Structure formats: C-alpha cells, structure tokens
Amino acid sequence: MPPLRRSRLLAKRRVALLFYESSTRTRTSFELAAKSLGADTVLVSALSSSIEKGESLKDTGITLRSLGAECIILRHPNSGAPYLLARSTGLPILNAGDGTHEHPTQALLDLRTILFRLSARNRLSDAIAPLNSGVLRGVRIAIVGDILHSRVARSNALLLPRLGAQVIFCGPKELLPDNAAGIGPGVSVERTLEHALANADVVMMLRIQRERLAGLQLDLEDYTARYQLNPERLARHAPDVLVMHPGPMIRGLEITSEVADGPNSAIMDQVQHGTAIRMALLSRALQSRLANTSKEKQKRS
Ligand code: NCD
C-alpha cells in the first residue's frame, strides 16, 4: 500500500488504550501503530483514572465507548478480561496481555521475527510467502524460564506448532509443571537447559514474574546457575541459536548482557516487528467494524 494511503487508513478513528498493568513495549508500539495509520489515540491507565477509585472494567469500557472509542486495546491482570470487555461494549478488543492467560500480539510478532531471521539464514524455504501449516516444519523453539506465569509462552505454544514448529518448554518444577506439555500438540517439557539448547534453532528467554509469584519461594542463585543464558552456555551448546526475549529483561538473571546484546540476539528485531503486527491488527479490527456497521445500516433501511 502506498505510504500516503497507509498513513490515512484509519484517519480520525478513535482508539483507546486501557492499561491496568504497566507496559513499555506493547503500549508504545500499539500507540505508534495506531498513530501511523492516522488514528487518534487516548491512553487510560489504572493509576491515573477512575479505575483507582473502584470503577469496574465494564463501566470504564462503556464510558470509553460513549466518548467515541471504536476499538479498545486492553492489558489486564485477570485472565479473560478481554472477553468480558468485548461482551459489555460490543467493540473490537485487542488483547495486550490478560493475566497469565494470553498475549497474542506478542506471539505474532515473535513469529514474524522468527520467519524473517530464519529465512535470512536460508533455513526456511520461502518464509515470507503466505503462511501455511508447514512453514516452520523442523524448527525447534525452546522457551525457557517462568512458563507458569507467562502469557507469552502460552500464546507462542498455541501458535507456533500450528505452523509445524516444535516447542520445548524448559524450567524448574516450580515454574513449569509436569503437565505443561498438555497445552497442545507439538509441545514437550525439558528440565535441563543444556539439553533444550542442544537442538534448538531458537531460544526464547523469559523473565521471572515476581509480581505473580504469590508466596512461591525460589532460590534465585540456584535458578541463575541452572537456567541463565550466558556466553559459555551459548558457545558450548547452541552457538548458532537465535536468541529472543519478549522483555522486560532482567540482565544478570535469566540472560547476561553479552548474550542480550550479542550477535545471536533478535531482541530488538522483536520490538520492531511489533509495530507492523499491531498496524495490521488495528486496521483489520477497525475496517471490519466499519463494514459491519454499514451492513447493519443497510439492513435497517
Ligand atoms: C511480557 C508481558 O507483559 O507479558 N512483556 C511484553 O509484553 N513484551 C513479559 C513480561 O512481563 O515478563
């Protein structure tokens, strides 16, 4: 699409960002994505709005709708909150992370990063061609760390095997229950990082979500010794692996700076792919809304 047309695609459409949890990457990239298509955006965050005074999600949602919001981007600590908001407002809701449930736009931007990077290395035949169920056949993706609390891990484990990838969850018992592989086909559990790395094409490191540990005691020194991705481990077990991390990173804990900033890292690519993915989703959400509204008008007349 020509850049000028793209920059006016959502001209004057109103998009609300409703954030009950903190965010840097997801919020900024959704906002920039909306603005680059010409939409007007407004940010409502829990700490500076009536949410702090006890207003419900439903009331906040219908208030935003009355103010002209045509689409809401929601981040919420409760799993399932986007469904509730969609039901109570009738608006398209884009899930920017709900509790420990899902973070679908992160999984899509991770997929885009993997496709671009692996096709550049000629590991995939024609990755940028239309997606099909075999595009990631033979690709092994290790997801390491706090799987239990990670909506990123869940969304990736639901998405990537559909395209043929094998997902290997790796972490200690406390952060990765034995039954985690039951999330779906193409997912297995491996407790030892060195084994997970051995045949992996991609390794996705995760932050320990301290805010969700709820009393769970974890020996961080032991965790770091067993699960940190550092230059020695990388060189010895997976010198060519593509290193990813959804951020925020805790440098020195799950990953060292040498690895995060090193030649294997695709972490900043992930951030950049996020804007394109969110532009696509926003235009889809708002354009289908326009189409539905005009169909309803036609029916009524
Ligand atoms: C993640 C999240 O919020 O789920 N970050 C992100 O959106 N890129 C992961 C995390 O908080 O550790």
Side-chain angles (χ1 to χ4, degrees), residues 116-127:
F116 269 76
R117 279 292 198 115
L118 293 196
S119 67
R121 283 193 201 170
N122 289 333
R123 294 241 182 118
L124 295 175
S125 46
D126 194 5

Side-chain angles (χ1 to χ4, degrees), residues 25-26 75 103 106 151-152 207 209 211-212 246-248:
R25 277 150 285 270
T26 307
R75 169 165 285 193
H103 196 344
Q106 179 71 39
R151 49 201 180 199
V152 175
R207 176 180 73 92
Q209 304 208 4
E211 70 277 26
R212 299 191 216 275

Side-chain angles (χ1 to χ4, degrees), residues 57-67 72 85 88-90:
L57 176 61
K58 175 178 172 176
D59 285 331
T60 304
I62 56 182
T63 302
L64 290 174
R65 188 185 61 194
S66 300
L67 289 167
I72 301 178
L85 189 63
S88 50
T89 61

Side-chain angles (χ1 to χ4, degrees), residues 143-159:
I143 306 184
V144 183
D146 188 355
I147 310 286
L148 183 64
H149 301 107
S150 175
R151 49 201 180 199
V152 175
R154 179 185 290 269
S155 285
N156 270 301
L158 291 171
L159 174 66

